[in-house]
Amino acid sequence: MSAKTYEVRTYGCQMNVHDSERLSGLLEGAGYVRAPEGADGDADVVVFNTCAVRENADNKLYGNLGRLAPMKTKRPGMQIAVGGCLAQKDRDTIVTRAPWVDVVFGTHNIGKLPVLLERARVQEEAQVEIAESLEAFPSTLPTRRESAYAAWVSISVGCNNTCTFCIVPALRGKEKDRRPGDILAEIEALVAEGVSEITLLGQNVNAYGSDIGDREAFSKLLRACGAIEGLERVRFTSPHPRDFTDDVIAAMAETPNVMPQLHMPLQSGSDTVLKAMRRSYRQERFLGIIEKVRTAIPHAAISTDIIVGFPGETEEDFEQTMHTVREARFANAFTFQYSKRPGTPAATMDGQIPKEVVQARYERLVALQEEISWAENKKQVGRVLDVMVAEGEGRKDGATHRLSGRAPDNRLVHFTKPDEAVRPGDVVTVEITYAAPHHLLAEGRATSVRRTRAGDAWEKRNATQAAQPAGVMLGLPKIGVPEPLPAAAAPGCGCD
């Protein structure tokens, strides 16, 4: 009898992507195997890991569930599970609207998925179980990592902020921090397996320490990562300007394996709008942080999130955002048009902006940022960079005879394929010859190719899986290091 198959479909931020790695690990621990790539619902178990922040998230979910209904009728024993933030929020509504769903679980009890699936099978009725608080830190659960050479490491869950446009704190709960020793032990174990890059993950990552009573815990954690032999690259996402203190900047600058990259959500450049958003900083404070980072780390690439058209935003408010973007000169920005999120204070605020006004402002902002991104990328021409080879980031690589990877500052680099074989996780030194708004190009021969333990790990894993069903991709656009670090439109929920 062949093993049962599963497919996990992920929507939203890196928290959900990382949770999906846990869900895959749990299912494989229960005896399931991943369905072949392109299965598109043709699996014994299909899991939706949902987001409540993205626009029309519920419509997309029910549309996808509707497409699976006839497939389930034709496939005896097939089960459908819905988890994540939308499940935490809507609970019984999901089974009411889609009665063919077998399991609904929330953000706090993902470890229960295999048990709930079995219970639904035995009892022949839907199982809805939503925990109100975290049952076990996700790090204690088995994980099917999406990469052999780069990994997420969760350092906290939840958020203590009260931003008026964000429902995440209500769904993920108050911040809960992991013990530093547990985090470092996980990183050391990953490095021993061949991982050379880790991304520290938290809803408000640099607030780490508030739960354990140490205001400098995050900077200490960054420095401790610097002492782990074999760990070449450390990144983190997403920080909050309120908690971005000088000790963190110093730790970034003084720890060699912490990369010269920072994602710092702005949301708005208007002090009036920031106050309405309940963001605890103002434009001057934000630009002050950017200036300090650039002084300490001159080549740092800084990205951001911006919301256009928040309720009450005037033309002058929007111009303040444009001014901040011109001053900050972000390497790139993830821009969002404000849309109502049920359950958030902003959804009922006066001064909702007409769609056509929001669209026009959005287009102006995107055009400005495109111009800045291109200008900032042009400054990279002539630089010699160490590029970590990525898997699946260059869609045209086959036709152009190039490979792709990420520079230390996280910029995407396409480079001429070296004569010698290189693998994802290996490091290639190249000179940048051309810049486009969203990538760099190195057209000459590589200065050097360094085969790494991370490349060895990728090669070993690839050989092991060659005879097994191909992995199902998580279906998200990608930034950051390779395939293993998929993200949605922005590093966080768009609410950091």
Side-chain angles (χ1 to χ4, degrees):
M1 180 178 178
S2 59
K4 290 186 176 181
T5 58
Y6 76 90
E7 177 186 349
V8 178
R9 300 187 185 184
T10 310
Y11 307 88
C13 67
Q14 289 97 325
M15 281 290 187
N16 274 13
V17 174
H18 191 36
D19 282 351
S20 287
E21 291 185 328
R22 306 291 185 192
L23 293 170
S24 295
L26 285 161
L27 290 170
E28 293 189 6
Y32 294 86
V33 298
R34 181 171 280 201
E37 186 173 355
D40 195 24
D42 188 14
D44 294 298
V45 171
V46 179
V47 183
F48 291 86
N49 192 6
T50 64
C51 171
V53 174
R54 301 298 181 207
E55 189 171 7
N56 298 320
D58 53 347
N59 290 336
K60 291 175 183 176
L61 170 66
Y62 294 116
N64 285 319
L65 289 174
R67 283 188 285 275
L68 285 187
M71 191 176 296
K72 186 178 181 185
T73 301
K74 297 176 183 177
R75 185 176 183 129
M78 179 181 178
Q79 291 184 296
I80 300 171
V82 179
C85 289
L86 194 63
Q88 188 79 21
K89 180 171 79 75
D90 286 356
R91 307 180 182 221
D92 296 328
T93 305
I94 294 172
V95 174
T96 301
R97 292 184 60 176
W100 54 91
V101 169
D102 299 276
V103 171
V104 178
F105 62 100
T107 59
H108 299 309
N109 62 332
I110 64 175
K112 289 287 187 67
L113 177 59
V115 171
L116 293 172
L117 287 168
E118 180 63 14
R119 192 186 301 165
R121 185 187 65 80
V122 171
Q123 297 183 6
E124 298 184 340
E125 64 179 10
Q127 301 296 307
V128 179
E129 188 168 309
I130 306 292
E132 297 302 329
S133 59
L134 193 67
E135 293 187 348
F137 204 92
S139 59
T140 62
L141 302 175
T143 304
R144 186 197 191 281
R145 300 276 180 182
E146 291 300 312
S147 169
Y149 56 95
W152 303 110
V153 174
S154 182
I155 70 170
S156 63
V157 294
C159 180
N160 293 336
N161 295 320
T162 57
C163 301
T164 54
F165 54 81
C166 182
I167 198 170
V168 169
L171 304 179
R172 291 273 181 183
K174 292 293 185 182
E175 181 178 324
K176 186 168 182 59
D177 296 333
R178 281 178 78 184
R179 292 165 52 91
D182 293 341
I183 297 169
L184 294 171
E186 180 180 354
I187 296 171
E188 288 170 351
L190 288 167
V191 172
E193 294 171 4
V195 168
S196 61
E197 169 164 341
I198 60 101
T199 300
L200 303 175
L201 187 62
Q203 211 74 52
N204 183 7
V205 70
N206 61 321
Y208 177 75
S210 61
D211 182 49
I212 57 179
D214 184 353
R215 294 180 62 84
E216 295 189 354
F218 186 63
S219 62
K220 292 175 183 175
L221 182 61
L222 290 178
R223 292 183 186 277
C225 287
I228 297 176
E229 186 176 354
L231 179 58
E232 298 190 14
R233 295 185 173 191
V234 177
R235 305 184 191 276
F236 57 88
T237 194
S238 285
H240 191 295
R242 182 194 67 187
D243 303 298
F244 210 82
T245 48
D246 290 350
D247 61 297
V248 173
I249 297 173
M252 291 177 65
E254 296 166 10
T255 310
N257 64 355
V258 175
M259 294 294 96
Q261 172 219 349
L262 175 63
H263 183 78
M264 180 69 79
L266 169 64
Q267 306 304 6
S268 174
S270 163
D271 289 355
T272 301
V273 174
L274 288 170
K275 183 178 180 180
M277 288 178 167
R278 282 194 209 141
R279 302 287 283 179
S280 53
Y281 55 89
R282 300 295 178 258
Q283 181 192 111
E284 183 178 5
R285 157 77 172 153
F286 185 92
L287 289 174
I289 293 172
I290 301 300
E291 182 179 1
K292 286 182 178 180
V293 171
R294 290 227 166 94
T295 298
I297 314 167
H299 287 299
I302 302 174
S303 57
T304 196
D305 297 335
I306 301 173
I307 297 173
V308 178
F310 188 80
E313 180 188 75
T314 64
E315 183 62 25
E316 173 57 28
D317 291 326
F318 177 69
E319 285 298 337
Q320 287 298 310
T321 294
M322 297 284 276
H323 167 74
T324 308
V325 169
R326 291 188 189 98
E327 291 293 310
R329 300 198 65 79
F330 300 112
N332 57 76
F334 301 92
T335 51
F336 304 86
Q337 296 185 41
Y338 173 79
S339 59
K340 293 182 180 180
R341 296 293 182 270
T344 63
T348 57
M349 284 182 175
D350 294 333
Q352 302 287 330
I353 312 297
K355 172 66 176 176
E356 61 272 17
V357 175
V358 177
Q359 181 68 33
R361 290 176 183 172
Y362 174 80
E363 291 174 2
R364 287 162 57 195
L365 175 61
V366 168
L368 172 63
Q369 181 56 51
E370 191 91 349
E371 176 187 317
I372 292 171
S373 294
W374 199 357
E376 291 301 306
N377 275 0
K378 286 177 181 177
K379 294 177 182 178
Q380 307 301 310
V381 174
R383 291 189 67 195
V384 175
L385 301 174
D386 290 334
V387 176
M388 181 178 287
V389 182
E391 181 179 27
E393 286 217 277
R395 288 174 292 179
K396 299 178 181 179
D397 282 352
T400 58
H401 302 290
R402 294 174 182 148
L403 296 176
S404 299
R406 292 283 168 171
D409 65 8
N410 208 32
R411 283 183 166 94
L412 177 63
V413 180
H414 303 302
F415 58 93
T416 301
K417 195 172 183 179
D419 294 334
E420 59 186 291
V422 293
R423 309 151 304 174
D426 288 340
V427 176
V428 177
T429 303
V430 298
E431 180 178 345
I432 303 303
T433 57
Y434 175 79
H438 304 293
H439 71 266
L440 303 175
L441 185 61
E443 298 167 294
R445 294 175 64 88
T447 305
S448 68
V449 174
R450 178 165 62 87
R451 291 172 70 85
T452 64
R453 290 174 59 252
D456 294 342
W458 178 89
E459 191 169 38
K460 179 180 179 181
R461 176 165 167 171
N462 210 45
T464 302
Q465 294 181 346
Q468 298 177 359
V472 176
M473 304 320 298
L474 295 177
L476 299 168
K478 300 166 184 67
I479 62 168
V481 177
E483 196 62 38
L485 299 179
C493 287
C495 58
D496 302 292

